[in-house]
C-alpha cells in the first residue's frame, strides 16, 4: 500500500470493495482481473448480495 | 467417571459440571429422568436429585409438602418423575426448613463433640442465596423465610416476585440442600433440566457461578440439560466443566472439555438462548487474521447485506478442526443450520465438496492478499495494473543496491514474461 501511496490498511481496502460488491446472473467469472473471478463463482453466489 | 447402561443410557468421562446441549426432543430430559428414576442401578450411588424443566408453584410453605420433605428424604426425588412439577417451588420452600435443620443438627453435633463450629451458621446459607438476587433478599423468620426489597424492611409477597427471582431462590435452596445431603464416599448427581427457564441471560451466568462455587467445595457432580449458550459461556473457563452435544437417538454420551474451538465459535450464538444468529449470520471460518479483518470490513461496509460471522481458525489444518466443532454445535442446536468455510487457493483450483451444514469455498486466487490486485480494488486506490507494475519496478530498483532481503532477490530474478501467464498472472508476478 505504501508503494501506491495509500495509508489505508490493505485488508480494509479489499473489505470495502467486497462490502459494495453485488452479484447477478450475468456476472462474468471469466473476466480475468475482476474480483468476482478471484473469489470464485461458488463463494460469490453464496455470500455476495444479489441484485 | 463413567455411568454405564442406565435404562439404555451410558455417560462417559463425566466431570464436576457436565453440560448436555441439544435440541428439543433429542432425549435430554429422558436421560436425566432415567438417571433419577433408575438411580439405584447406578454403581455406588449416593444422592440423586432431579430438577424438572417445568417448575411451577410459589415460594410458600405448605404444611403437607413440608411434612413429606421432613419425614422422607427421598420424597422430593420420588415426586419428580415427569417434565412438569406444579408445586416445585412449594417443595423448594419446604427444603429451606430441611436445610436449616441439617445445619443446626451439624452445629449441635459439633458442640457435643467439642469440634469446630466454624461455618455452621445458617446465615451463611441465606447470604449465599442472596448473592443470586439483585433487587430482593430473603431473611430468616422463625422456621421459614420472608422476602424483602433489598436493603429495606419492605416485605414482598412470595407470589409477587418475578418468575426469574423465584427461580433463583428456588434453585439456590435446591442446590444448597442437595450439597448438604450428599454422601461424599458415593456418586451424587444433581440433575438440572433447563435451569435457564425464566432467567435472563445475565442471571443464568450468576446461577452458574453459584453452582460452580458449590460444586468445588462439595462432593457431587452436576448434569445440566440446556439450550442455553449463556450457560455454556459462563462455564467455558471452568476447567472442571465437560460438554456433550446430544442428538436424537443418542444413547452413549461422551463428555469432553470445552475446547478452544468451541470457545472461539461461541460468540456466534449471541447472548440469547433462543438466538437464531447462527442461521441469520452463519459462521464463516477463515484461515488467518487478515482474512477475518477483510470479511469483517466487508460485513460493515455492506451494511448488513453480507450476512456472515467471520471467525479466524489460524491455518488450513485448523479450519478442518473448526469445521468438526461447528458441526457438533450446529447439529445439536439448530435445524437447517448453515455455516461456511473459506480456504486460500494455495495454487489449487476448483471447488471443494461441501460437508453439510458447512458450505466450503476456496479462493480462486492464491491467497486473500491477491485480491488487492483485482481491477476493482486497484481502481478504488486510483491506480491501474500498468501503473502499479511501474511503481513496483521503481521500488525494486530503489532497493536493489542495498538489498539483502530474500523477497527482493527472488523478485528481481524472475523474468517479466512470467507475468502474462495463467489466470492469476498478476499474482504470479508479485508472489
Amino acid at each position: 500500500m505504501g508503494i501506491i501511496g495509500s495509508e489505508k490498511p490493505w485488508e480494509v481496502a479489499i473489505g470495502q470493495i467486497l462490502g459494495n460488491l453485488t452479484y447477478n446472473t450475468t456476472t462474468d467469472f471469466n473476466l480475468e482481473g475482476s474480483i468476482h473471478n478471484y473469489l470464485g463463482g461458488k463463494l460469490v453466489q453464496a455470500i455476495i448480495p444479489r441484485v | 467417571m463413567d455411568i454405564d447402561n442406565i435404562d439404555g443410557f451410558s455417560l462417559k468421562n463425566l466431570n464436576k459440571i457436565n453440560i448436555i446441549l441439544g435440541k428439543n426432543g433429542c432425549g435430554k430430559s429422558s436421560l436425566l429422568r432415567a438417571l433419577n428414576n433408575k438411580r439405584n442401578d447406578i454403581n455406588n450411588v449416593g444422592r440423586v436429585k432431579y430438577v424438572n424443566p417445568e417448575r411451577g408453584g410459589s415460594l410458600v410453605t405448605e404444611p403437607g409438602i413440608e411434612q413429606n420433605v421432613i419425614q422422607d428424604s427421598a420424597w422430593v426425588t420420588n415426586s419428580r418423575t415427569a417434565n412438569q412439577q406444579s408445586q416445585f417451588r412449594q417443595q423448594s420452600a419446604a427444603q429451606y426448613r430441611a436445610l436449616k435443620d441439617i445445619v443446626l443438627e451439624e452445629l449441635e453435633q459439633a458442640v457435643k463433640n467439642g469440634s469446630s463450629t466454624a461455618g455452621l451458621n445458617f446465615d451463611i446459607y441465606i447470604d449465599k442465596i442472596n448473592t443470586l438476587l439483585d433487587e430482593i433478599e430473603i431473611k430468616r423468620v422463625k422456621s421459614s423465610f420472608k422476602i424483602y426489597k433489598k436493603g429495606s424492611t419492605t416485605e414482598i409477597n412470595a407470589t409477587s416476585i418475578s418468575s426469574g427471582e423465584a427461580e433463583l431462590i428456588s434453585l439456590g435452596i435446591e442446590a444448597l440442600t442437595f450439597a448438604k445431603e450428599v454422601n461424599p464416599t458415593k456418586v451424587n448427581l444433581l440433575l438440572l433440566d433447563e435451569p435457564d427457564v425464566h432467567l435472563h441471560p445475565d442471571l443464568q451466568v450468576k446461577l452458574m457461578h453459584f453452582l460452580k462455587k458449590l460444586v468445588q467445595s462439595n462432593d457431587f457432580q452436576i448434569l445440566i440439560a440446556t439450550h442455553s449458550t449463556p450457560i455454556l459461556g459462563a462455564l467455558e473457563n471452568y476447567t472442571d466443566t465437560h460438554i456433550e452435544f446430544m442428538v436424537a437417538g443418542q444413547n452413549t454420551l461422551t463428555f469432553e472439555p470445552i475446547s478452544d474451538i468451541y470457545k472461539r465459535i461461541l460468540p456466534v450464538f449471541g447472548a440469547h438462548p433462543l438466538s437464531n444468529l447462527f442461521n441469520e449470520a452463519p459462521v464463516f471460518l477463515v484461515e488467518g487474521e487478515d482474512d477475518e479483518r477483510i470479511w469483517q470490513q466487508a460485513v460493515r461496509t455492506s451494511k448488513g447485506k453480507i450476512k456472515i460471522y467471520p471467525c479466524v481458525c489460524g491455518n488450513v489444518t485448523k479450519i478442518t478442526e473448526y469445521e468438526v466443532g461447528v458441526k457438533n454445535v450446529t447439529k445439536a442446536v439448530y435445524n437447517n443450520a448453515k455455516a461456511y468455510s473459506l480456504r486460500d487457493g494455495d495454487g489449487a483450483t476448483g471447488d471443494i465438496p461441501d460437508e453439510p451444514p458447512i458450505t466450503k469455498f476456496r479462493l480462486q486466487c492464491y491467497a486473500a492478499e491477491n485480491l488487492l490486485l483485482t481491477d476493482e480494488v486497484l481502481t478504488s486506490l486510483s491506480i491501474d495494473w500498468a501503473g502499479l507494475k511501474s511503481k513496483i519496478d521503481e521500488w525494486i530498483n530503489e532497493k536493489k543496491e542495498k538489498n539483502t532481503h530474500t523477497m527482493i532477490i527472488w523478485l528481481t530474478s524472475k523474468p517479466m514474461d512470467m507475468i502474462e501467464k495463467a489466470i492469476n498472472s498478476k499474482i504470479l508476478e508479485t508472489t
Side-chain angles (χ1 to χ4, degrees), chain B residues 220-241:
Chain B
F220 69 95
Q221 289 161 293
I222 302 176
L223 270 92
I224 302 173
T226 184
H227 308 126
S228 166
T229 49
I231 283 184
L232 202 53
L235 296 171
E236 67 173 0
N237 291 321
Y238 178 45
T239 52
D240 286 340
T241 303

Side-chain angles (χ1 to χ4, degrees), chain B residues 10-252:
Chain B
S10 291
L11 289 81
K12 310 284 185 195
N13 200 26
L14 287 165
N15 208 321
K16 290 289 273 184
I17 296 181
N18 305 277
I19 302 170
I20 307 165
L21 199 71
K23 290 182 285 212
N24 286 328
C26 75
K28 302 186 300 294
S29 296
S30 301
L31 163 66
L32 296 190
R33 280 201 304 274
L35 291 169
N36 185 54
N37 299 343
K38 305 270 181 178
R39 57 191 176 279
N40 292 330
D41 294 346
I42 299 172
N43 191 29
N44 191 35
V45 72
R47 299 286 295 193
V48 176
K49 183 187 228 178
Y50 176 59
V51 170
N52 317 61
E54 296 175 37
R55 303 178 282 274
S58 303
L59 279 167
V60 293
T61 307
E62 285 199 7
I65 291 176
E66 194 173 66
Q67 197 175 359
N68 287 332
V69 169
I70 301 295
Q71 286 179 352
D72 180 3
S73 61
W75 182 80
V76 167
T77 297
N78 290 335
S79 73
R80 295 176 179 176
T81 54
N83 269 356
Q84 195 176 51
Q85 173 49 262
S86 59
Q87 293 187 309
F88 186 92
R89 289 179 191 148
Q90 283 91 330
Q91 291 187 354
S92 301
Q95 285 171 77
Y96 168 92
R97 180 159 170 206
L99 175 63
K100 192 173 148 195
D101 288 348
I102 295 169
V103 175
L104 293 179
E105 276 169 26
E106 284 180 350
L107 177 63
E108 196 178 84
Q109 202 62 40
V111 170
K112 204 180 280 181
N113 297 340
S115 51
S116 169
T117 57
L120 295 175
N121 178 348
F122 190 62
D123 285 342
I124 292 172
Y125 295 85
I126 300 279
D127 291 344
K128 283 180 182 173
I129 293 167
N130 283 332
T131 60
L132 289 166
L133 306 165
D134 288 327
E135 305 292 329
I136 60 169
E137 61 185 338
I138 63 168
K139 292 180 185 174
R140 293 170 66 173
V141 177
K142 295 183 181 170
S143 62
S144 188
F145 65 89
K146 286 188 176 175
I147 303 166
Y148 294 85
K149 191 168 182 233
K150 201 151 207 164
S152 81
T153 53
T154 309
E155 188 182 338
I156 303 170
N157 192 297
T159 56
S160 302
I161 61 173
S162 73
S163 51
E165 290 168 327
E167 280 290 301
L168 286 172
I169 297 172
S170 176
L171 293 174
I173 294 170
E174 295 275 340
L176 287 168
T177 311
F178 181 75
K180 274 287 169 202
E181 290 174 336
V182 298
N183 181 338
T185 63
K186 294 186 179 246
V187 173
N188 304 287
L189 299 173
L190 179 60
L191 311 169
L192 301 178
D193 203 341
E194 300 190 23
D196 43 289
V197 174
H198 300 303
L199 292 182
H200 180 278
D202 293 347
L203 298 181
Q204 295 177 37
V205 171
K206 204 173 240 191
L207 178 65
M208 288 306 113
H209 290 162
F210 171 88
L211 292 172
K212 192 167 68 177
K213 277 186 193 166
L214 194 62
V215 84
Q216 276 172 330
S217 53
N218 290 279
D219 293 299
F220 69 95
Q221 289 161 293
I222 302 176
L223 270 92
I224 302 173
T226 184
H227 308 126
S228 166
T229 49
I231 283 184
L232 202 53
L235 296 171
E236 67 173 0
N237 291 321
Y238 178 45
T239 52
D240 286 340
T241 303
H242 278 181
I243 186 166
E244 168 67 323
F245 298 93
M246 187 178 187
V247 294
Q250 188 176 346
N251 292 323
T252 298

Side-chain angles (χ1 to χ4, degrees), chain B residues 208-307:
Chain B
M208 288 306 113
H209 290 162
F210 171 88
L211 292 172
K212 192 167 68 177
K213 277 186 193 166
L214 194 62
V215 84
Q216 276 172 330
S217 53
N218 290 279
D219 293 299
F220 69 95
Q221 289 161 293
I222 302 176
L223 270 92
I224 302 173
T226 184
H227 308 126
S228 166
T229 49
I231 283 184
L232 202 53
L235 296 171
E236 67 173 0
N237 291 321
Y238 178 45
T239 52
D240 286 340
T241 303
H242 278 181
I243 186 166
E244 168 67 323
F245 298 93
M246 187 178 187
V247 294
Q250 188 176 346
N251 292 323
T252 298
L253 283 78
T254 305
F255 291 83
E256 58 177 326
I258 300 177
S259 67
D260 286 342
I261 289 174
Y262 293 142
K263 288 178 190 175
R264 287 302 310 271
I265 61 176
L266 255 176
V268 171
F269 291 113
H272 195 278
L274 301 178
S275 167
N276 198 29
L277 201 57
F278 215 124
N279 278 356
E280 288 169 0
V283 67
F284 187 78
L285 303 174
V286 293
E287 290 189 25
E289 288 179 4
D290 50 356
D291 301 291
E292 189 181 47
R293 284 194 290 272
I294 288 170
W295 288 101
Q296 282 171 343
Q297 181 64 51
V299 170
R300 278 197 295 275
T301 303
S302 77
K303 295 178 180 159
K305 287 180 185 158
I306 294 180
K307 296 178 189 299

Side-chain angles (χ1 to χ4, degrees), chain A residues 1 3-4 6 10-12 14-20 32-35 37-40 42-43 46-47 49, chain B residues 293-294 298 301-302 305-306 352 354 360-361 364-365 368-372 374-376 380 391 423 425 427:
Chain A
M1 295 296 278
I3 292 174
I4 299 170
S6 171
W10 66 272
E11 299 98 324
V12 172
I14 295 172
Q16 285 175 336
I17 294 299
L18 291 173
N20 286 318
E32 192 187 328
S34 83
I35 198 164
N37 188 29
Y38 276 47
L39 292 171
K42 187 178 177 187
L43 173 58
I47 302 296
Chain B
R293 284 194 290 272
I294 288 170
T301 303
S302 77
K305 287 180 185 158
I306 294 180
I352 310 170
D354 298 334
K360 299 186 180 186
F361 307 119
Q364 297 302 301
C365 55
E369 292 92 317
N370 304 129
L371 296 171
L372 192 57
T374 58
D375 295 341
E376 291 88 342
S380 76
K391 282 187 180 288
I423 188 171
S425 57
I427 297 155

